[in-house]
Every structure is written in structure tokens, then in C-alpha cells.
Amino acid sequence: MKKLALALGLGLLSTAAGAAVLEGGPPPDIGAYLSPKAPDKHGLNDTLWQLMNEAGQTVGFRGGKAQRAWELQQALNAQNDALNRMYTFAPLISRQGWLPPVIVASESLAHITDRQIRTANKTYSILLPERFVSNPPTWRQYLLAGLTINTDIPTDIRPKNGNEEAVWRAAVEKGWQDGRESADRTLESNFNRLTRDYTGMLRYTTLLQQGIITPPVVSEQLQTVTGSRDKVTIGDRTRELKQHAGFELDKKRWKPTVNTRQ
């Protein structure tokens, strides 16, 4: 994962570093409140300035995000083989065709009130239930979500003179940077969700072997021939999730490989 992050380029890292410096720096001093800086409207009235500023930032945001999304897609495609090996969902699908539930784990929990302290070594919870799938998911469905590339350049709003162009350029530049940072945040969120889901499905397999969780109950119905005079179906098979996977609360049924002190 670290090698993959490096392969994505320094853009994402520089964005995060810039945010860290901003968050860790001191707040504005009193001078910023006594003499707040007003935006330079370059002689435009409030209505026209707001129109040009908002339109410019919107256009810049879309363009910046599209550019950064394209860069990120190229970096991800270059890591296609590594990502395919790292996130392989096909072996996780059951013979009945369902994808395992996503189970998250929390350690060293504590709940404190005025009258009680409650601690726990580890807690498991089902974040997403199992579901039938026609094809196993891939990293592309996760990582490319929200990284759409829009190449349309709107022409309905354009600066008509030097003053409007100055406002427009400043707004587009700000929106452009915001758009690039938005693409970085989108990919970071996608990576977190992909890792969470894949790890959670692997965790289900481990807990199932240990007897801590029970598998879902699936009913199957097979009818030789179904249909009507206009349509006939041969070998009609229906599978239905009758009961979701659930945790086994009787620890006596757990396998002896479980370390309950963890």
C-alpha cells in the first residue's frame, strides 16, 4: 500500500502536508479581526462581482478536479497488476453466490459515565451484510468512484473587460486548486472504503472458522419448468437469503483456537 501511495505522485502528499501545516499553525491575531481584508472587486459592483466569482470558482473546480482525476486514474492504471493481486474478491464469494459481510473490529474500548466505567478488549460488528453478486467487485469500482472526468468548458459566462477578467482569473485559480484537492480527498476516501470492506470480508472468513459467527441461511428452490403460454423457463432456480450471518454468543461453541484475552 505504501508503494502504491508513492506511485500516485507527490500531489496527494503535498495536499495533505499543506492541510497539516494550516491546521497546526496559530490562529489569526487580533489585527485580522480589526482590519479584515475585503476581496478586491476590481471596480465591479457587488452583484457582478459575485456572479463572476461564483461562476469562475465553479468552472475552475470542475476543471481542476477533472485534471487531477485524470492524473490519479493514470497512476492507478499503472498499478493495475499490483491492485489486482492486493484486492482479489473472487475467492471470497461463496458457492451459493453471496459476498461475505463486512465486519469491523475495535480494540481497547471504554465507555465512561458518572456512575460506571465499561471496558472491552475487542468488539466485532457487522457493518454491511452479505449480498448476492453476479460478478465479484474489483478495485476499480471502489477507487474510481467519483473520479469522473468532465471535459466540457462552459462558454455562457465570460469576462468582457479587464476588470471582469481579473476577478474571473482569481476565481478560476482558486476553484482549480479546490477541485484538485477534492479529487485527492475522493481517492483517499475510496482507498479507506476499499481496504475496510476487503479486510472486513477476510475477517468474516476467519471468524467463521473460529465459530464466532454463523453463516447466512440460504433457501433454494428448483422448478423444472415455469412460465406461461408466451414464455417458458426450464430449470428455474431461485436462491434467497432467509437469515443473515450473525455472531455466536455462546463461547463454548467457539473453536479452541480463539484467544479470548485479545
Side-chain angles (χ1 to χ4, degrees):
M1 186 68 68
K2 293 182 179 179
K3 293 182 179 179
L4 177 60
L6 291 175
L8 295 179
L10 298 177
L12 181 59
L13 297 178
S14 61
T15 299
V21 172
L22 180 61
E23 293 177 358
D29 59 18
I30 190 172
Y33 300 95
L34 294 176
S35 302
K37 294 183 179 180
D40 188 353
K41 298 182 180 180
H42 296 276
L44 304 184
N45 61 56
D46 292 346
T47 301
L48 182 56
W49 176 85
Q50 183 174 4
L51 174 63
M52 299 299 297
N53 184 62
E54 291 181 354
Q57 287 197 36
T58 299
V59 170
F61 183 90
R62 292 176 180 174
K65 187 170 185 177
Q67 183 195 61
R68 184 58 175 158
W70 182 86
E71 294 172 357
L72 295 175
Q73 286 187 17
Q74 302 308 303
L76 290 171
N77 289 331
Q79 298 294 327
N80 178 70
D81 294 341
L83 288 169
N84 284 337
R85 291 192 300 268
M86 192 178 302
Y87 301 102
T88 306
F89 287 89
L92 301 179
I93 299 179
S94 72
R95 294 181 179 179
Q96 296 170 316
W98 48 265
L99 200 62
V102 175
I103 300 178
V104 295
S106 303
E107 297 186 12
S108 301
L109 300 180
H111 179 70
I112 303 175
T113 65
D114 293 340
R115 298 175 59 86
Q116 184 186 68
I117 296 180
R118 184 177 183 181
T119 63
N121 294 333
K122 180 175 291 187
T123 299
Y124 295 110
S125 58
I126 299 176
L127 182 65
L128 298 173
E130 65 280 356
R131 57 189 174 92
F132 285 115
V133 293
S134 56
N135 294 298
T138 67
W139 63 265
R140 292 181 177 276
Q141 295 170 248
Y142 281 89
L143 298 187
L144 300 183
L147 294 179
T148 55
I149 299 176
N150 182 13
T151 58
D152 296 333
I153 301 178
T155 58
D156 51 342
I157 299 180
R158 289 291 185 184
K160 300 177 181 178
N161 53 53
N163 290 339
E164 291 185 8
E165 183 176 358
V167 174
W168 177 265
R169 289 179 65 89
V172 170
E173 289 175 357
K174 183 181 185 307
W176 190 274
Q177 183 61 32
D178 290 344
R180 289 180 61 86
E181 293 175 0
S182 175
D184 285 338
R185 291 193 299 270
T186 296
L187 179 59
E188 182 180 6
S189 176
N190 290 348
F191 255 118
N192 292 338
R193 189 166 63 92
L194 170 59
T195 303
R196 180 203 67 188
D197 286 7
Y198 189 73
T199 303
M201 293 178 192
L202 291 176
R203 184 175 290 117
Y204 163 80
T205 303
T206 301
L207 295 179
L208 182 65
Q209 294 174 350
Q210 296 174 343
I212 298 178
I213 195 170
T214 59
V217 177
V218 178
S219 66
E220 184 171 325
Q221 183 179 6
L222 177 62
Q223 296 181 339
T224 306
V225 178
T226 60
S228 63
R229 293 183 61 86
D230 299 321
K231 180 181 179 180
V232 63
T233 300
I234 302 174
D236 187 3
R237 175 175 295 176
T238 302
R239 290 173 179 166
E240 181 180 357
L241 279 169
K242 303 296 291 186
Q243 180 177 309
H244 288 295
F247 292 109
E248 175 58 66
L249 301 183
D250 185 359
K251 66 178 183 180
K252 294 180 180 179
R253 297 184 178 180
W254 296 0
K255 301 298 171 54
T257 55
V258 176
N259 186 354
T260 57
R261 297 181 58 185
Q262 293 183 350

